[in-house]
Amino acid sequence: MKITRRSFVSSAAGALLLPSEWLAAAQQQGVASRGVAPQARPPASGRPFNAHFANVAQQAGLRIPTIYGGIDAKKYILEANGCGCAFIDYDNDGWIDIFLLCGTRLDSAPPEATNRLYRNNRDGTFTDVTDKAGLHAVGWANGVCVGDYNNDGFEDIFCTYYGENRLYRNNGNGTFTDVTREAGLLRGETRWGAGCSFVDYNRDGHLDLFVSNYIRFDLARAPVPGQASTCNWKGIPVNCGPRGLPPGRHLLYRNNGDGTFTDVTKESGIAAATESYGMTVVAADFDEDGWTDIFVACDSTPSLLFMNNHDGTFREEGVLRGVALSEDGMEQAGMGVGIGDYQPVGHLDLFKTHFMGDTDGLYRNDGTGSFDDRTRAAKIGVETRYVSWGTGFADFDNDGLADILIVTGNVYPEVERVLPDSPYKSPCILFRNLGNGTFEELGAEAGPGIAEPHPGRGCAFGDFDNDGDVDVLIVNMNEPPTLLRNDLSGRQNWIKIFLEGVKSNRSAIGARVLVHYGGKVQAQARVSQSSYYSSCDPRLHFGLGEAKTVDVEIFWPSGLRETIRGVPANQLVTVREGAGIVKNRGWSRS
Amino acid sequence: MAAMMRRAWFAFFLWFSFCSLAAAAQPANPNSARAISAALHARNYSAALALLAPALRQSPNDAQLWTFAGLAYSGQGQKTEALQSFKKALGISPQYLPALEGAAQLEYQSGDSQAEALLERVVKLVPGDTTAHTMLASLAFQNHNCAEAVAQFDQSGSDFQSQPFVLRSYGICLANLERYAQAQEIFVRLLAQPGDDPRDLERLAAIQLALNRPADALHTLAPALTGHPSAVVLAEAAEACEQQKDTPQAVSLLHRAIVENPADTDLYLQFADVALVHQSFQVGVDMLSAGLKQAPDSAALFVARGVLYVQLADYDHAESDFEQADKLDPQLTISEAARGMLAEQQNDLDKALAVVRGKLRKSPNDPLLLFVEADILAERNPEVGTADFDQAMAAARQASDLQPKTTDALDLLGKLDLEADNNQRAVDESREALRRNPGDQPALYHLIVGLRRTGQKEELPALLQRLAVLRQKATREEAEHNRYKLIEESDNNTAAGK
């Protein structure tokens, strides 16, 4: 009998080792990816899909590229993650406008490098009003969240940055003012602000602000490609991180009701959460107790679910409630978040996007804020090829079932020269809801706009042409944005609901809406940020299938529950808190 | 070592049998027996045999006389006749202890498989017979049955502890049973005895590495590291340095080890391990390629290189290496398991399943292949209750039963059971996995999910805390691994740099 070192030592050497451990070794790269094979694809359903997407950005006047870091190579992760965008009706004309974030370059900022506001011309085109609106800003912008923080009836904008975040107050006259300093939000230090969300966590009718931070990053001392083990992808030197870099801490600011905010991170319990690479923030009432909770998708660390204790504090329960980790308890590269009700049964489910080599995650809410990972059961696991970012539940074909769209794009432009299977530009993924708890992936059959490859990042969902469906705005790295116009055919019905808070915050952010139609009940939430670092059309869109009328239940953030019965389909209704449907505040047509 | 042990025990046992015989003597003819006994005592075996011939004619069914004959023949070196005599005695009186001991001793000496049965009969008659227990331990050691060997050694008293070769076998078996602390004590004692087996130093260092005491291992190896250390010593020192997070020194020592013994394939595998851990895949591939020049028929090297190619996404080369490994050593199931997993990773699940099932036909009880089969089937996402789902469960369960120390298969079972809403079963499986490996994160997470679903919430706070601690530990370890990356230097040496 031989006694050898390798007989005992639990090292990974040699043929004694399981291949699973060998094959899992690639997880030690900079970004968490489980390296899972995609699920087998079920046979095609053969059902027609009536939504059809075309990229109309060029003709709509969205022609300026979103500058973000190097084009052919990314030296730092700062250049790689990109930014979000917003559908915002900044001038309250009933037509959603476009706000696009932008980055810069390491060496110097090209002239195009600024965030941009485009006014909707109500004819399918947009006009760049950035300078006029006072929103010209150069820097590494990341996330945007929209909400009326001062309850003056005009949506304000908060942008996160690597550097100092910015709060823009909407002056109500087509211009904005940077009020970061006077609002008490200037930190005086460089941070990597990531996700953000306006949220009325204490139900005082004023929108507070949650900000996630990604990593503590110092450009002067950051490692470069190939310098460390977290700086390679399949043996190819790439930008480092987030693993190996110190994670960020997340912040909660309470709105003082006078235009200023107070940092309550510590006393609210937010500071007690484990450090994580925070990204997109979605705030909604997940356990249906009338108080808004906060979900933070986290990259390569457990995602966080802050449950509201009703007393100004939160407890973090992401792992306990099943939304922090993969089905095997492993961290994933949580980046974008969709919120919706895919079954539909009246509860808010979550969808989280991840890195290539991993599935995105679908989490079914049982109504108590406990989630089950339904990724495989719902056949979402058929797609693992791309890095996924912006996402959302939206009923694109108005059949009464929320579909899922995912924007993809690689973070390593260098890799595809060596590994053609890892392209830098990749298509959107559209999962159409089959109504039996499963989804079917569609490509070009959903229109050429879906199949177009781009290095995509954030996206916003909304009806920019007011034609009763859901269109999509997408940020592309160093390319003009994509504007996917949904040319929907068929005669399915729909309804859009716009909420106006009275006792609640004016934006009604945090409200949960149940729409009853055709024997179904679908939940949606009014949120300030979702997708990837982005903000969507504030008008909640419900596809209704054949149903011609709906009953609407609104759970306002103030605690008021309001029910409106027998609302006819195919219209936008504005509901004022406590007053029901507001007449003459409906659909805007050019 | 076995032959040496048998020689040592032979003389002792002869005397032992004779003493037993004297104690058990119930002669039919006391005078004759006394004379024979005196002759045997005086080692005058021919005289004893001369006295035995008439006595046996007179009393052919006297077990004692036949036993005397066995001892006399043994004394003369006539082992065949001696064994026949002892067996004759046992035919007359099967429980006759002196004859049993004599026969056992001879069978043991010749390495005959009958020895064990005879010795077991001895210890049944005399449960406290430490000599028989020691011999049974030695036999078990020779048969690579360390569990049995240690059980017997533990009943052997302290007699054998003064005999280094026996003590060594005890220490080796303790180590094999992962009773490292006890094994360490034994090798420390062996090393304190001058002029013993120089490999005890390597063994002690190996045990200390298993105990995660790299500083102790380096201390043990220090005398051997001066002058001209062997490749094994250098490799162990390298392992100790790697455990101490001193990767540059580990790489340097491994280089020296390979130069010292370039034919030792284990050294290349150890280097590949370091390269893998530090994400230096191409460097690992290069070193394994160098190893394959030395040992072109090493299936293990091909498997290891194939795995590194997987990390580099060079799937064609990986596939080729796995195939070559299988050709070189068709008994090596890991190569086909790796091929199956590679196909699985490339989403060719039909091919993956075909590869693994092809090998399973030849090795139906290979736990690794069974696990991979289960994993592939699970990847096909079968509906609960379908044949594929049931087969995935069955294969995972079989793999787990066959390899009761590992947790991969149990983790998969837990996942499948959660999927099938067999939540309590998932809880039980996760608990078992955690018993096997308290650091098993998937099992801990499955346990949390299972308990949550079954409404058993009391444990959850503690389990969540435990998961957080595990995750922090994993993060720290990952950070340590990421400190160094192996780089090729211009003179084709490899170094580790931050």
Side-chain angles (χ1 to χ4, degrees), chain A residues 128-167:
Chain A
D128 186 340
V129 294
T130 309
D131 292 333
K132 187 178 163 193
L135 290 174
H136 190 283
V138 180
W140 297 100
N142 294 299
V144 56
C145 49
V146 172
D148 184 2
Y149 81 95
N150 56 0
N151 288 335
D152 67 351
F154 290 91
E155 299 282 21
D156 309 297
I157 297 173
F158 183 78
C159 302
T160 60
Y161 273 85
Y162 172 67
E164 286 280 7
N165 301 327
R166 294 177 193 190
L167 175 64

Side-chain angles (χ1 to χ4, degrees), chain A residues 45 47-49 341-345 362 364 377-380 393 395 397 399-404 431-441 517-520 522:
Chain A
S45 70
R47 295 191 209 169
F49 187 66
D341 180 8
Y342 77 96
Q343 291 206 297
V345 290
L362 175 65
R364 184 181 62 192
K379 317 288 187 200
I380 296 295
F393 290 97
D395 187 354
D397 57 351
D399 66 349
L401 299 165
D403 310 299
I404 296 171
F431 282 110
R432 64 96 57 92
N433 191 331
L434 293 175
N436 59 358
T438 71
F439 290 81
E440 175 180 41
E441 184 178 357
Y517 57 98
K520 300 186 181 83
Q522 185 180 159

Side-chain angles (χ1 to χ4, degrees), chain B residues 75 79 95 193 205 274 295 357 436 489:
Chain B
K79 290 177 185 168
Q95 306 299 317
Q193 298 171 15
V274 177
R357 283 185 167 164
R436 295 180 187 184
E489 290 180 339

Side-chain angles (χ1 to χ4, degrees), chain A residues 70-244:
Chain A
I71 297 170
D72 298 324
K74 306 278 188 193
K75 188 175 180 184
Y76 299 113
I77 191 170
L78 179 62
E79 304 172 78
N81 285 358
C83 55
C85 57
F87 273 136
I88 170 178
D89 185 5
Y90 79 100
D91 52 3
N92 284 349
D93 68 346
W95 293 79
I96 52 169
D97 311 296
I98 286 174
F99 182 61
L100 287 161
L101 294 179
C102 189
T104 180
R105 296 246 157 81
L106 289 174
D107 42 10
S108 63
E112 312 96 293
T114 173
N115 302 336
R116 286 183 190 278
L117 180 68
Y118 291 94
R119 192 187 66 230
N120 192 326
N121 298 326
R122 311 176 192 178
D123 60 0
T125 68
F126 292 82
T127 300
D128 186 340
V129 294
T130 309
D131 292 333
K132 187 178 163 193
L135 290 174
H136 190 283
V138 180
W140 297 100
N142 294 299
V144 56
C145 49
V146 172
D148 184 2
Y149 81 95
N150 56 0
N151 288 335
D152 67 351
F154 290 91
E155 299 282 21
D156 309 297
I157 297 173
F158 183 78
C159 302
T160 60
Y161 273 85
Y162 172 67
E164 286 280 7
N165 301 327
R166 294 177 193 190
L167 175 64
Y168 292 104
R169 187 186 63 217
N170 188 334
N171 300 320
N173 60 0
T175 69
F176 289 79
T177 302
D178 183 340
V179 294
T180 316
R181 183 181 296 278
E182 66 188 79
L185 296 173
L186 212 58
R187 304 287 305 188
E189 61 180 331
T190 295
R191 287 191 176 218
W192 189 327
C196 60
S197 189
F198 285 110
V199 49
D200 183 8
Y201 77 96
N202 55 3
R203 299 204 333 189
D204 66 352
H206 298 290
L207 283 174
D208 313 296
L209 181 62
F210 184 95
V211 181
S212 72
N213 281 282
Y214 188 53
I215 55 180
R216 298 198 293 276
F217 186 77
D218 180 356
L219 254 179
R221 292 162 50 183
V224 296
Q227 185 174 327
S229 299
T230 48
C231 311
N232 80 82
W233 170 257
K234 296 186 175 179
I236 301 163
V238 295
N239 63 76
C240 310
R243 284 177 162 174

Side-chain angles (χ1 to χ4, degrees), chain A residues 29-49:
Chain A
Q29 66 228 358
V31 189
S33 172
R34 294 183 296 159
V36 296
Q39 266 180 274
R41 285 175 191 272
S45 70
R47 295 191 209 169
F49 187 66

Side-chain angles (χ1 to χ4, degrees), chain A residues 5-6 18 22 39 376, chain B residues 266 270 307 311 378 381 408:
Chain A
R5 185 188 59 78
R6 286 206 299 113
L18 283 175
W22 284 88
Q39 266 180 274
R376 285 158 56 89
Chain B
D266 279 3
Q270 188 176 344
V307 171
Q311 313 308 319
N381 197 41
D408 277 349

